[in-house]
Amino acid sequence: MPCCTPSALNAWLKPILFFMKRLVFAYLFLLLPSPLHAQFFPKEKQQLHFRIIGFSFPGAVAGHRYKLEVAQGFYSSSDSFSRKIIKTSICTTTKTVVEVPQFNADYTWTVTDMGNVGGGKNAKFHHFSTGWTKMLDERNVRLRVKLAANKFKDGFLFSDNNKILYNMSGAPVWYLPEIPGINDTSKVIRDLKMSCAGTITFLSNDNPFEIDYYGNVLWKGPKGGQVSGDSIEHFHHEFTRLKNGHYMVLGNIIMPKGWRPTVDPSSIDPQNMSPEKLTNFAIDEKIQFSYGTLLEYNKDKLVWWWRSGEYYKQVDFHDCADGKPVYDIHENAFFFDEVNKAVYVSFKNISQIVKVNYPSGVISNIFGSIYYPGQPCSDTTLFFEQHACKITHDGHLIVFNNNVNHIDEPPTVVEMEEPKGSKMYLKKVWEYIYPVKNAEAKVKELTSGGNVQELSDHSLFVSMCSPFGNTYIVDKQKHLIWDAEMESYCVPLKKWISLSQYRNSFISSRKEMESLIWNSSVFKN
């Protein structure tokens, strides 16, 4: 028998070891989820509720270029596909953003690996479609641009009344999809906006939700009324994701019918009212009094709250400018200055903004109308029945002023400097009055709602509300740099009329928009 030398043994073992390695690799490949399959997006035959799409595909090779092509229609052959190509994108990574032209349409796409010298081989065809909602029908509802944008022309705005995201040319690019129990035709959507975390937040029938661009639910408000003492917290008006990852939202405590605020509301448990604390109003026992709350949650639980009842004892709401008592102070907006640890809470029906130290909950100042027992409140304040309050980059308080005390004047945006030292009052430093042509409409329907949002260059994005449908951007020199109006077609009148919004919001750039797209859980799994 011949001697088995080391070289002969190696020659014999080498193919066996190679085969065993291939078996092990194949076994591990079957056990692990395939990244190649997970990275294709849009998924095959997926229906999308947007036209600006993040495409992703596997197999990046360093130094290679990739050509993504999109054709309108459903195709399975190269000849048919190549004749209908509408978009081509060349990239060096395995993802790119492409905008397709229409909703309610089919699309086919494919990717070619161009190699590092050009040329390559086509991948298989992929297919998707864009969906439809009646709010997209521009024969019924439209955003009519009256002044085109040069600056911020790559921006977008959320219209919460009809649940649409528009580009600055007035074309819809995204709509809030139907989400069971969250959004359908019966749900009223409020405060639809992009968060600082690259997500989307809104209130649906007064319940707070956070979703990603693709409609995946990331967070929702808890059930139960830990602060309200009721079965729910009665969330309303404004919901914001904070920079620390927490969530802050307005709520309400609903008092028993006929209750009169003659005692300190901060000491009251709504579910265990003693009879001596219930004094019926002779005016109308059906009127139900409420006072506002502000609640902060982390992902799992309530971590902080403030109740406006702590502040009721300082004022008397029985006499107002019109001589009638106030049953609902109508807490309708807030802004958390996370740097200076202060929360500004807006109360529309008493035209006040209360500054609350955080986290102590102690009120440090009250701005707006001042109430004295037995006397009507003053109507000479700088704002009246405001609907938004923010702190600017310069540290000023800015509000959307519905200006209801001046019935013949349109709403305004007012910027104010807070008092310093012994000074008691706000100082107006800037104001803008939008030149509405239908100011007389305010006489028939008092204005309400609206929003103001400061942009990176200190310009202001402003949305007006009932009875106006105007949305605009104005710079600090009071030059309009973009102007549009939401309108709906009135069949009986056979003309377009203003469509009031609630609280529109702004995405200032394509870069921010793409961060919203790529921040989705779709690309993180």
Side-chain angles (χ1 to χ4, degrees):
M1 182 176 182
C3 178
C4 185
T5 64
S7 57
L9 182 61
N10 288 338
W12 181 68
L13 287 175
K14 190 173 182 179
I16 296 177
L17 291 173
F18 177 79
F19 179 72
M20 292 178 65
K21 287 179 181 179
R22 294 296 296 270
L23 284 176
V24 171
F25 176 80
Y27 178 71
L28 291 175
F29 184 81
L30 291 173
L31 288 179
L32 296 174
S34 171
L36 302 182
H37 176 74
Q39 290 177 0
F40 273 110
F41 191 88
K43 296 178 181 178
E44 181 63 14
K45 297 184 180 180
Q46 183 175 9
Q47 185 179 88
L48 307 177
H49 54 276
F50 44 85
R51 296 192 298 109
I52 303 179
I53 304 166
F55 287 85
S56 69
F57 46 91
V61 178
H64 283 209
R65 295 184 307 141
Y66 297 89
K67 180 170 68 173
L68 184 143
E69 295 171 301
V70 183
Q72 189 164 342
F74 190 101
Y75 306 105
S76 56
S77 69
S78 297
D79 290 342
S80 299
F81 174 81
S82 61
R83 288 195 296 268
K84 297 294 184 178
I85 292 173
I86 56 172
K87 296 285 182 177
T88 299
S89 177
I90 304 297
C91 52
T92 57
T93 64
T94 59
K95 65 178 186 178
T96 188
V97 174
V98 173
E99 181 174 342
V100 296
Q102 292 182 353
F103 284 103
N104 198 26
D106 292 321
Y107 294 93
T108 304
W109 65 286
T110 188
V111 176
T112 302
D113 183 347
M114 305 295 290
N116 54 8
V117 293
K121 185 178 180 180
N122 282 330
K124 68 177 184 178
F125 292 107
H126 306 274
H127 307 89
F128 68 92
S129 63
T130 49
W132 180 256
T133 173
K134 65 179 182 179
M135 287 299 183
L136 291 170
D137 191 342
E138 294 182 271
R139 296 171 298 179
N140 299 321
V141 179
R142 69 183 184 186
L143 178 65
R144 180 171 63 90
V145 176
K146 299 187 287 185
L147 176 64
N150 289 319
K151 199 168 190 179
F152 299 110
K153 63 182 179 180
D154 293 328
F156 303 87
L157 71 142
F158 280 110
S159 168
D160 60 3
N161 191 337
N162 56 337
K163 316 173 190 180
I164 302 292
L165 181 67
Y166 291 92
N167 64 23
M168 298 299 279
S169 298
V173 299
W174 179 98
Y175 64 89
L176 185 64
E178 286 201 10
I179 307 172
I182 298 175
N183 178 49
D184 54 41
T185 55
S186 67
K187 297 294 189 296
V188 176
I189 301 299
R190 292 288 184 258
D191 199 25
L192 181 65
K193 62 192 177 190
M194 178 177 172
S195 78
C196 59
T199 58
I200 297 170
T201 58
F202 59 91
L203 290 155
S204 173
N205 279 22
D206 298 336
N207 291 303
F209 294 94
E210 179 185 33
I211 64 172
D212 63 20
Y213 185 74
Y214 301 87
N216 299 304
V217 179
L218 307 175
W219 188 85
K220 59 183 178 180
K223 297 181 179 180
Q226 187 174 345
V227 176
S228 70
D230 205 342
S231 59
I232 57 175
E233 293 290 2
H234 303 283
F235 299 119
H236 63 94
H237 276 89
E238 189 158 9
F239 167 52
T240 299
R241 175 163 175 157
L242 306 177
K243 293 178 182 177
N244 64 3
H246 290 186
Y247 305 91
M248 192 168 278
V249 59
L250 295 175
N252 265 334
I253 293 179
I254 310 298
M255 305 309 296
K257 289 181 179 179
W259 177 79
R260 181 174 181 172
T262 55
V263 295
D264 177 8
S266 65
S267 64
I268 292 173
D269 179 354
Q271 293 185 327
N272 296 288
M273 294 285 289
S274 58
E276 63 272 13
K277 291 183 179 179
L278 290 174
T279 303
N280 288 337
F281 277 114
I283 300 173
D284 190 346
E285 291 186 9
K286 296 179 181 179
I287 293 177
Q288 203 161 34
F289 194 91
S290 66
Y291 66 89
T293 59
L294 183 62
L295 307 101
E296 180 185 357
Y297 296 90
N298 62 18
K299 285 286 186 181
D300 304 312
K301 63 181 180 180
L302 180 71
V303 295
W304 181 85
W305 67 92
W306 180 79
R307 300 196 286 186
S308 65
E310 305 282 346
Y311 138 77
Y312 274 11
K313 58 188 176 183
Q314 304 177 36
V315 294
D316 189 333
F317 302 116
H318 297 170
D319 295 306
C320 287
D322 58 3
K324 296 179 181 179
V326 174
Y327 297 98
D328 176 17
I329 60 176
H330 200 79
E331 181 187 58
N332 70 348
F334 73 90
F335 180 82
F336 184 21
D337 184 348
E338 296 185 58
V339 175
N340 296 306
K341 301 298 181 183
V343 185
Y344 296 76
V345 187
S346 166
F347 298 93
K348 174 199 167 195
N349 288 3
I350 57 172
S351 302
Q352 283 190 358
I353 294 175
V354 174
K355 184 177 181 179
V356 181
N357 289 338
Y358 177 92
S360 69
V362 174
I363 293 173
S364 61
N365 217 330
I366 297 173
F367 306 121
S369 301
I370 305 298
Y371 291 76
Y372 300 97
Q375 299 180 23
C377 70
S378 169
D379 66 352
T380 59
T381 56
L382 298 176
F383 54 88
F384 211 85
E385 294 200 3
Q386 71 289 345
H387 196 255
C389 62
K390 305 279 196 320
I391 297 298
T392 69
H393 299 137
D394 294 330
H396 294 158
L397 176 63
I398 193 165
V399 302
F400 181 81
N401 171 33
N402 277 298
N403 205 23
V404 173
N405 53 332
H406 299 129
I407 192 65
D408 57 343
E409 297 178 6
T412 70
V413 176
V414 185
E415 182 178 348
M416 298 156 287
E417 182 180 64
E418 291 189 36
K420 298 177 181 178
S422 59
K423 295 181 180 179
M424 297 177 59
Y425 302 105
L426 293 165
K427 176 185 176 182
K428 181 168 68 175
V429 297
W430 189 87
E431 185 176 22
Y432 181 74
I433 303 174
Y434 179 82
V436 291
K437 294 182 179 179
N438 56 338
E440 67 276 4
K442 186 180 174 185
V443 177
K444 301 177 183 178
E445 181 182 349
L446 294 180
T447 57
S448 64
N451 192 28
V452 56
Q453 180 180 338
E454 188 182 28
L455 306 182
S456 58
D457 67 344
H458 303 285
S459 297
L460 300 174
F461 170 84
V462 183
S463 69
M464 300 169 70
C465 196
S466 177
F468 309 108
N470 307 88
T471 299
Y472 60 90
I473 298 176
V474 59
D475 65 22
K476 297 311 288 287
Q477 289 72 45
K478 301 186 181 181
H479 299 138
L480 278 174
I481 58 179
W482 180 78
D483 190 13
E485 185 171 0
M486 289 296 306
E487 296 177 325
S488 63
Y489 189 75
C490 180
V491 175
L493 297 178
K494 296 182 179 180
K495 68 175 185 178
W496 290 92
I497 60 174
S498 291
L499 176 63
S500 298
Q501 301 301 296
Y502 178 75
R503 185 179 270 141
N504 289 354
S505 63
F506 193 58
I507 298 176
S508 62
S509 68
R510 182 80 175 201
K511 182 178 179 181
E512 286 187 23
M513 180 69 172
E514 292 193 3
S515 72
L516 183 63
I517 293 171
W518 297 125
N519 194 45
S520 168
S521 56
V522 168
F523 301 108
K524 293 182 177 180
N525 294 334

